[in-house]
Amino acid sequence: MISLPNTGFLADASDRLKSMMAAQARPVSLSRGQVLFDQGDPGDALFAVTDGALEVSVLSLQGRKLALDLMGPGAIFGEISLFDPGPRTATITATQPSQVLKVRNADILAQINKHPELAGDMIRLAGLRMRWMGRQLNEQVFLPVPTRLARKLLHLAPVSDSCPKTVALSQSELAEYVGATREAISKTIAAWKRLGVIETVRSGILIQDLEALHVLADLEQI
């Protein structure tokens, strides 16, 4: 039986969904930089992350990349294809060696027919995704670059109450996540370094003052 992480969406998933994933899924290994699927590929499976980290990104018509999220163990994705079997809406790329579980849509739908309560998990997952996408859109439209950067650093930082903590992304990668130019990100980071909020290190961004970053993120907005 496959062991599932008790984190992310899987932490609150029903026992039936966890049992189905463990019994029906096929493990898939990804190396750093390997693409699991591209935006526009046919959607034919649901995935769960068991180890590593996977980037969610989209391309504009002009070819500009926007990184939307970084998924860790316990995350489930690919559920849109269950409701609308069309092309994939984003590209999924491993940012480090990773392991995912793959369950074919046909197998999931067969299990839902046998166990209708599984549909509740899928509907909840879709609802969470829609709410998250709506929040991302609002932030991109209404919030300035520094606020978006502070929020993204808080989102990507390791889960702990202590500092320092490191976000292992370059300034160019952060620009993709925030939807800004590298110059704008560099200018903001330089200002925050002078304030002692963060420091730049070889591995990425070192958060030194978590409380100050929360203030900069202005989480009461939107």
Side-chain angles (χ1 to χ4, degrees):
M1 183 71 72
I2 295 172
S3 177
L4 298 175
N6 191 34
T7 54
F9 183 84
L10 284 176
D12 298 318
S14 68
D15 291 339
R16 177 69 70 180
L17 177 63
K18 293 176 182 177
S19 297
M20 186 271 289
M21 293 293 299
Q24 302 284 333
R26 176 174 66 86
V28 178
S29 298
L30 300 167
S31 57
R32 178 183 172 88
Q34 185 174 350
V35 174
L36 179 63
F37 56 75
D38 279 307
Q39 182 178 346
D41 284 352
D44 61 354
L46 180 77
F47 296 88
V49 185
T50 57
D51 191 34
L54 283 83
E55 176 191 82
V56 184
S57 65
V58 294
L59 284 179
S60 69
L61 293 176
Q62 293 74 33
R64 180 185 175 190
K65 175 185 171 183
L66 176 63
L68 299 176
D69 199 7
L70 196 64
M71 299 183 295
I76 292 182
F77 59 98
E79 77 288 345
I80 292 177
S81 61
L82 292 175
F83 303 98
D84 178 18
R88 294 292 190 188
T89 58
T91 296
I92 305 295
T93 308
T95 60
Q96 57 184 266
S98 302
Q99 296 282 335
V100 300
L101 299 178
K102 177 181 180 179
V103 185
R104 295 187 312 142
N105 287 352
D107 293 334
I108 296 173
L109 292 174
Q111 288 296 312
I112 289 176
N113 285 332
K114 292 180 181 177
H115 309 285
E117 65 271 22
L118 281 173
D121 284 291
M122 297 298 102
I123 292 171
R124 185 167 66 87
L125 179 60
L128 289 173
R129 193 83 69 207
M130 290 173 63
R131 189 177 297 111
W132 179 83
M133 289 299 295
R135 186 169 62 250
Q136 293 294 306
L137 177 61
N138 286 338
E139 290 183 0
Q140 290 291 329
V141 172
F142 296 113
L143 297 183
V145 169
T147 306
R148 301 203 315 260
L149 177 58
R151 292 187 179 197
K152 192 60 69 174
L153 287 173
L154 289 173
H155 175 66
L156 297 174
V159 179
S160 69
D161 295 327
S162 61
C163 276
K165 56 177 68 180
T166 303
V167 176
L169 292 174
S170 68
Q171 293 186 27
S172 296
E173 290 170 325
L174 280 172
E176 292 177 352
Y177 275 95
V178 174
T181 64
R182 188 187 185 283
E183 291 73 20
I185 296 300
S186 296
K187 181 179 179 180
T188 303
I189 286 175
W192 291 355
K193 285 174 64 177
R194 290 193 294 270
L195 294 172
V197 178
I198 62 171
E199 187 55 71
T200 53
V201 293
R202 179 172 297 181
S203 57
I205 303 295
L206 188 70
I207 300 173
Q208 295 181 309
D209 191 336
L210 197 60
E211 184 177 346
L213 196 61
H214 273 94
V215 172
L216 291 165
D218 197 5
L219 297 176
E220 296 302 317
Q221 278 199 74
I222 306 181

